[in-house]
């Protein structure tokens, strides 16, 4: 799809310079170094990195989505302090540079925000800048210089161990799974014909279990990525589906596990009709699990199950 962020795949040492008090006229900078690991998914359409700021007791993650229709990227930042997805910055690459921007609030006042990538030097560099005057002037408040480690690295179990263990709900999913699908050919029309297919799923967890990601390339259908984030205050998960055809983050379903069964609910539209959606996870063992999707047109009084997935974990 795109190779824009292919350079970022693998492990990195990141040297940070961060302004202690942005937009105050201060020139006091904090400096520190962190490990980081990055992955490309969906043929380059999704880029994710996790950075462990151990001395600060926090981790950060960027999730980047490429929209084929607009040829633009959206980038969202999430901190382990609250596990809240921040509003996206949006932009595109121009040669060796990428600029993304958005309008946000900072400490109660409106600002413009920009993220900037520069690949023209010996090392990749990223910076963040704020503007209070509509983009006429900018104050750079965070600079990262990246030094490449192992470009083939895919896992580093030490990245999240400094964080609190809020949940282990989706730890079981980490690894590679063989999945058998049973998918209703047509939904909400009384159809009883099921389509069967098989695919392989790869999943990993981040933030010491509070984020779960899996990639799915489904033959004859499409590719997608599931992004799950646990809210440690509400004690519930927000589960987002990213359709590889659009590169957009869908509305989440919300829910939690109880006694090995997880129920997650949200709203969607099907054939012009608003439907209540339920995802249900049933964890049978360390190597067996089931997932199903169901729709309701009467606010949950009755359900039509339209998709079932049977998971069998591959041996390590």
């Amino acid at each position: 799809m795109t190779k824009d962020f292919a350079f970022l795949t693998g492990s990195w040492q990141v040297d940070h310079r961060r302004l202690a008090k942005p937009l105050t006229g201060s020139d006091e900078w904090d400096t520190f170094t962190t490990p980081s690991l990055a992955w490309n998914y969906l043929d380059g359409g999704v880029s994710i990195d996790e950075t462990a700021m151990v001395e600060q007791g926090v981790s950060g993650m960027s999730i980047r989505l490429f929209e084929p229709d607009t040829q633009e990227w959206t980038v969202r930042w999430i901190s382990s302090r609250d596990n809240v997805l921040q509003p996206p910055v949006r932009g595109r690459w121009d040669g060796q540079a990428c600029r993304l921007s958005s309008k946000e609030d900072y400490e109660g006042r409106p600002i413009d925000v920009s993220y900037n990538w520069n690949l023209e030097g010996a090392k990749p560099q990223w910076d963040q800048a704020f503007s209070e005057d509509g983009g006429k002037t900018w104050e750079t408040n965070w600079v990262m210089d990246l030094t490449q480690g192992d470009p083939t690295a895919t896992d580093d179990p030490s990245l999240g161990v400094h964080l609190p263990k809020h949940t282990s709900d989706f730890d079981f999913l980490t690894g590679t799974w063989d999945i058998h699908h049973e998918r209703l050919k047509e939904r909400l029309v009384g159809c009883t014909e099921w389509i069967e297919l098989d695919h392989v799923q790869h999943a990993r967890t981040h933030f010491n279990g509070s984020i779960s990601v899996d990639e799915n390339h489904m033959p004859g259908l499409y590719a997608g990525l599931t992004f799950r984030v646990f809210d440690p205050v509400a004690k519930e998960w927000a589960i987002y589906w990213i359709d590889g055809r659009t590169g957009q983050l869908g509305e989440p379903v919300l829910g939690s596990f109880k006694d090995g069964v997880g129920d997650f609910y949200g709203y969607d539209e099907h054939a012009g009709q608003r439907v209540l959606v339920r995802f249900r996870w049933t964890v049978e063992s360390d190597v067996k699990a089931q997932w199903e999707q169901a729709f309701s047109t009467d606010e949950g009084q009755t359900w039509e199950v339209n998709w079932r997935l049977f998971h069998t974990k591959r041996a390590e």
Side-chain angles (χ1 to χ4, degrees), residues 91-116:
R92 65 179 66 203
W93 283 87
D94 183 6
Q96 295 291 93
C98 179
R99 185 176 187 278
L100 308 107
S101 61
S102 69
K103 294 185 181 295
E104 300 179 18
D105 286 331
Y106 178 74
E107 296 187 347
R109 57 190 192 269
I111 62 168
D112 288 277
V113 177
S114 72
Y115 289 178
N116 303 283

Side-chain angles (χ1 to χ4, degrees), residues 126-138:
W126 173 93
D127 71 62
Q128 173 183 271
F130 292 168
S131 173
E132 291 187 284
D133 55 14
K136 295 177 182 177
T137 60
W138 292 89

Side-chain angles (χ1 to χ4, degrees), residues 177-215:
W177 297 78
D178 292 307
I179 300 180
H180 178 70
H181 295 243
E182 294 178 353
R183 186 172 186 263
L184 203 58
K185 186 175 182 180
E186 296 184 70
R187 303 169 182 176
L188 301 178
V189 294
C191 178
T192 58
E193 182 180 352
W194 293 83
I195 299 170
E196 298 190 32
L197 62 113
D198 298 282
H199 89 283
V200 178
Q201 179 189 83
H202 303 283
R204 52 176 54 92
T205 56
H206 305 271
F207 285 16
N208 203 11
S210 289
I211 291 178
S212 169
V213 177
D214 64 60
E215 181 180 31

Side-chain angles (χ1 to χ4, degrees), residues 35-163:
S36 181
L37 196 59
W39 302 263
N40 265 9
Y41 294 101
L42 303 184
D43 299 322
V46 176
S47 170
I48 293 176
D49 66 60
E50 180 180 3
T51 300
M53 293 171 270
V54 178
E55 293 181 3
Q56 291 75 22
V58 67
S59 285
M61 173 176 284
S62 295
I63 175 168
R64 309 174 185 86
L65 310 180
F66 181 71
E67 297 182 356
D69 288 349
T70 64
Q71 296 292 294
E72 289 186 332
W73 286 89
T74 59
V75 181
R76 292 167 174 84
W77 170 256
I78 180 170
S79 168
S80 65
R81 295 191 194 280
D82 55 15
N83 286 2
V84 174
L85 276 170
Q86 297 301 309
V89 292
R90 175 181 289 273
R92 65 179 66 203
W93 283 87
D94 183 6
Q96 295 291 93
C98 179
R99 185 176 187 278
L100 308 107
S101 61
S102 69
K103 294 185 181 295
E104 300 179 18
D105 286 331
Y106 178 74
E107 296 187 347
R109 57 190 192 269
I111 62 168
D112 288 277
V113 177
S114 72
Y115 289 178
N116 303 283
W117 279 98
N118 189 331
L119 305 184
E120 293 181 349
K123 300 178 181 180
Q125 186 179 82
W126 173 93
D127 71 62
Q128 173 183 271
F130 292 168
S131 173
E132 291 187 284
D133 55 14
K136 295 177 182 177
T137 60
W138 292 89
E139 177 187 75
T140 299
N141 57 60
W142 200 342
V143 180
M144 299 184 191
D145 292 296
L146 287 74
T147 301
Q148 178 79 71
D150 181 357
T152 66
T154 58
D155 290 290
D156 182 354
S158 68
L159 272 184
V161 296
H162 64 292
L163 300 176

Side-chain angles (χ1 to χ4, degrees), residues 12-17 30-36 51-56 145 147:
W12 297 84
Q13 173 185 293
V14 184
D15 296 313
H16 301 252
R17 292 177 59 247
D30 295 326
T31 60
F32 53 97
T33 299
T34 65
S36 181
T51 300
M53 293 171 270
V54 178
E55 293 181 3
Q56 291 75 22
D145 292 296
T147 301

